[in-house]
Amino acid sequence: MKPLHELAEALVVLAREGWTPPDRDAASLAQQVRELEAQQAQSQEVLQAVEYLQEACEPDATRERWLRLQRRVTSTRLQLARLNEAEVYLRAELERQVWLARHLRARAEAQQAAA
């Protein structure tokens, strides 16, 4: 599967070439991709740090500390799951728009070749 930012870059190039409908904003979608990837990276870093703290919790640590860390792990995993879900929808929209732009370009090229 192509990385999301590569799909966004392809759409921006197709938009610059004039193959996307005027009511579509490829630059905005590319910005959403950059923001989403940054949020995913940040959440992943937080999750790794909290999981490390939880694993390093001493057996004699207070139950409250372990539970606090467990809540943070769970919360961060849920946040990552929501971001991953948003990625699925964003990917579907990007793939749809890239396909449409390529289809319009191919049709125009076929019409030019036939003329």
Side-chain angles (χ1 to χ4, degrees):
M1 188 175 344
K2 208 175 234 189
L4 201 56
H5 65 272
E6 286 182 20
L7 266 175
E9 290 168 14
L11 183 60
V12 168
V13 168
L14 288 165
R16 259 190 254 126
E17 293 173 357
W19 297 113
T20 59
D23 64 335
R24 302 293 178 214
D25 187 5
S28 173
L29 284 174
Q31 178 63 32
Q32 288 178 37
V33 167
R34 285 190 295 275
E35 290 171 1
L36 178 66
E37 287 179 340
Q39 290 173 344
Q40 286 174 317
Q42 181 182 19
S43 291
Q44 190 62 44
E45 288 174 12
V46 168
L47 179 61
Q48 288 173 348
V50 175
E51 284 177 336
Y52 175 78
L53 288 173
Q54 188 180 30
E55 288 172 10
C57 226
E58 295 294 322
D60 63 347
T62 63
R63 178 183 164 114
E64 290 111 27
R65 176 167 167 69
W66 188 88
L67 287 173
R68 201 171 341 111
L69 290 170
Q70 180 61 32
R71 282 191 295 274
R72 186 125 185 248
V73 165
T74 302
S75 171
T76 306
R77 285 179 181 159
L78 287 171
Q79 182 180 10
L80 268 171
R82 285 190 296 273
L83 291 170
N84 290 338
E85 180 183 15
E87 178 184 352
V88 168
Y89 288 112
L90 189 53
R91 177 179 297 280
E93 180 61 18
L94 284 168
E95 288 173 344
R96 187 184 69 76
Q97 288 195 32
V98 166
W99 180 89
L100 178 60
R102 287 180 177 161
H103 178 73
L104 292 173
R105 181 176 63 185
R107 186 185 316 164
E109 289 171 354
Q111 288 174 348
Q112 286 178 348

